[in-house]
Amino acid sequence: MTIPPIPRTAEGGVGARRLPSTGLLADRLDRPMRDLRISVTDRCNFRCGYCMPKTVFGRDYAFLDRDELLTFDEIERIARIAVAHGVRKLRLTGGEPLLRKGIEELVARLAALRTPEGDGPEIALTTNGSALPVKAAALREAGLDRVTVSLDSLDDALFQEINDVRFPVARVLDGIDAALSAGFPTVKLNMVVKRGLNDGEIVDMAARFKGTRCTLRFIEFMDVGTSNGWSLDAVVPSAEVVDRISAVFPLEPAEATAPGETAQRWRYRDGEGEIGVISSVTQAFCGTCNRARISTDGKLYTCLFADEGHDLRALLRGGADDEQLSAAMAGIWGARDDRYSEIRSSLTPELRAARQRIEMSYIGG
Ligand code: SAM
Ligand code: SF4
Ligand code: SF4
């Protein structure tokens, strides 16, 4: 099999760009690659309307075949090279990552990787929480550092309406408890806020998790993919979320803990913890975006809104050695200039519609 050519930068070199200050791999906007999100399955047992609406992801939807998925060996190899290039956080996602058979084994393999300084990269996982009651302890045991659970409402009827498969909220709350009991020091909770759907839940959610080991993060509804019927009217700006909570539980801004952090932190003035807001629509954070994504079938995407990925699986299965893979990844990152969220508002609806955006369940949230 012939090995596909290694991507080159516009300057024509097999373009590893490096930041002079740190020597880290850099893209064209001098952003390092620090965070790799790996989609381990494009399937999910939920059908959240903002992500995998039933009208599109119905019975006949053609999910990837088993042999199209990256194997654990392939994922581990890509992750090892990414870590050598400066990645310090590996996040398993999907689809629903806990549906991937043997996910604990993959966690253990990734947890055993070492950075050039001899540390392990941070291993994180984002889940809808449905399988956490049975899997939390094994995941922790395998070396998972952090878990993020998606939770859009505490109201059972509304929660079931959102997941659209009648999954009860109590089981997800059990999953969160299971994670805390398994030894995760904290659990992050992601709430996608959609106007007219669950924005009435903002303060209840804040009240429920204030002063607990769970940190709630409110995410602006994004125009990922082409199937979720996004419109700007349905976006609740983070500033409004902060105002609504602050009117009941006063908040003050807190400093970022890490460069490239997606969430802006706000702490309760009474010392009872904090919340985060992820303002991908109203306050884009492309300037510090250090995230790369691997789709379920092994394409490297340099932006959540990229219209195409770079086929690393073809390299892996075509017999590329580590040096070739490493050069390919460096070249792809070196050529990166994505900043979709910053330019979104300057695109006409026609231009936005013309972009061939990838579904989040495939590219990894
Ligand atoms: N199934 C897992 C889950 O729900 O946590 C992991 C994959 S999911 C695609 C990752 C994250 O993306 C979730 O927190 C989900 O709420 C978020 N998400 C999905 N579609 C979104 C959208 N249109 N706007 C904002 N966030 C979205
Ligand atoms: Fe599934 Fe997560 Fe998408 Fe909901 S957000 S449909 S749980 S992948
Ligand atoms: Fe990063 Fe693309 Fe999102 Fe901007 S739009 S923050 S470049 S993933």
Side-chain angles (χ1 to χ4, degrees), residues 50-51 93-96 126-127 150 190 192 220 222 224 228 360:
Y50 53 72
C51 177
T93 176
E96 174 45 44
T126 307
T127 171
S150 298
N190 279 354
V192 175
E220 289 178 348
M222 283 187 286
V224 275
N228 69 5
M360 197 144 169

Side-chain angles (χ1 to χ4, degrees), residues 21-342:
S21 50
T22 55
L24 284 172
L25 202 63
D27 70 7
R28 287 204 201 178
L29 304 176
D30 284 346
R31 298 168 296 187
M33 178 167 66
R34 301 298 260 175
D35 183 330
L36 182 66
R37 302 188 174 196
I38 305 167
S39 175
V40 294
T41 175
D42 59 339
R43 291 166 199 254
C44 185
N45 54 335
F46 284 14
R47 285 293 178 273
C48 311
Y50 53 72
C51 177
M52 297 179 77
K54 265 186 187 164
T55 44
V56 178
F57 294 86
R59 276 181 204 286
D60 302 333
Y61 186 82
F63 289 101
L64 293 169
D65 285 336
R66 215 191 136 104
D67 60 358
E68 293 181 88
L69 269 54
L70 286 186
T71 64
F72 287 174
D73 282 344
E74 289 168 339
I75 293 176
E76 185 186 341
R77 207 167 149 211
I78 291 175
R80 179 166 43 78
I81 292 169
V83 167
H85 276 313
V87 163
R88 292 294 172 266
K89 186 174 185 180
L90 299 167
R91 178 173 295 279
L92 299 177
T93 176
E96 174 45 44
L98 300 189
L99 294 185
R100 178 80 187 251
K101 212 168 148 221
I103 187 77
E104 305 83 347
E105 183 199 332
L106 179 62
V107 167
R109 287 195 190 196
L110 298 180
L113 295 175
R114 286 293 165 263
T115 67
E117 300 80 42
D119 308 317
E122 183 176 273
I123 314 295
L125 177 140
T126 307
T127 171
N128 62 25
S130 58
L132 270 185
V134 286
K135 292 217 172 235
L139 288 165
R140 183 68 179 168
E141 183 102 331
L144 187 66
D145 295 303
R146 289 176 178 278
V147 65
T148 299
V149 179
S150 298
L151 180 66
D152 296 331
S153 172
L154 290 166
D155 177 274
D156 191 46
L158 181 55
F159 186 75
Q160 295 198 27
E161 182 191 325
I162 294 172
N163 65 55
D164 210 9
V165 293
R166 301 210 197 125
F167 197 88
V169 72
R171 294 258 299 277
V172 175
L173 294 172
D174 286 349
I176 295 167
D177 285 344
L180 293 170
S181 306
F184 291 98
T186 57
V187 172
K188 282 186 187 155
L189 302 179
N190 279 354
M191 173 178 176
V192 175
V193 185
K194 196 173 165 191
R195 195 177 300 283
L197 182 69
N198 64 341
D199 56 322
E201 293 280 294
I202 293 170
V203 174
D204 284 354
M205 287 278 285
R208 168 71 175 73
F209 294 107
K210 181 170 180 280
T212 70
R213 283 158 62 201
C214 296
T215 306
L216 192 52
R217 290 135 39 105
F218 297 88
I219 305 181
E220 289 178 348
F221 173 40
M222 283 187 286
D223 49 339
V224 275
T226 48
S227 54
N228 69 5
W230 185 85
S231 91
L232 193 54
D233 300 341
V235 177
V236 179
S238 293
E240 184 181 326
V241 171
V242 170
D243 282 351
R244 286 210 216 173
I245 297 173
S246 211
V248 186
F249 307 116
L251 290 164
E252 62 190 9
E255 314 70 45
T257 43
E261 207 168 53
T262 48
Q264 284 170 315
R265 299 169 55 221
W266 290 80
R267 68 178 152 244
Y268 292 109
R269 282 182 190 264
D270 63 7
E272 293 252 297
E274 63 181 60
I275 60 150
V277 288
I278 302 182
S279 322
S280 350
V281 179
T282 60
Q283 260 188 289
F285 36 79
C286 303
T288 56
C289 179
N290 53 18
R291 289 173 291 285
R293 290 179 162 82
I294 298 284
S295 65
T296 317
D297 58 356
K299 296 204 174 79
L300 176 63
Y301 285 86
T302 53
C303 176
L304 188 51
F305 298 91
D307 29 27
E308 58 180 344
H310 305 266
D311 195 353
L312 294 187
R313 192 187 66 185
L315 288 176
L316 287 162
R317 295 189 185 174
D321 62 20
D322 279 359
E323 210 176 309
Q324 287 168 313
L325 261 175
S326 171
M329 285 171 74
I332 293 162
W333 194 260
R336 174 188 194 238
D337 61 1
D338 306 274
R339 49 187 203 94
Y340 175 81
S341 287
E342 284 182 354

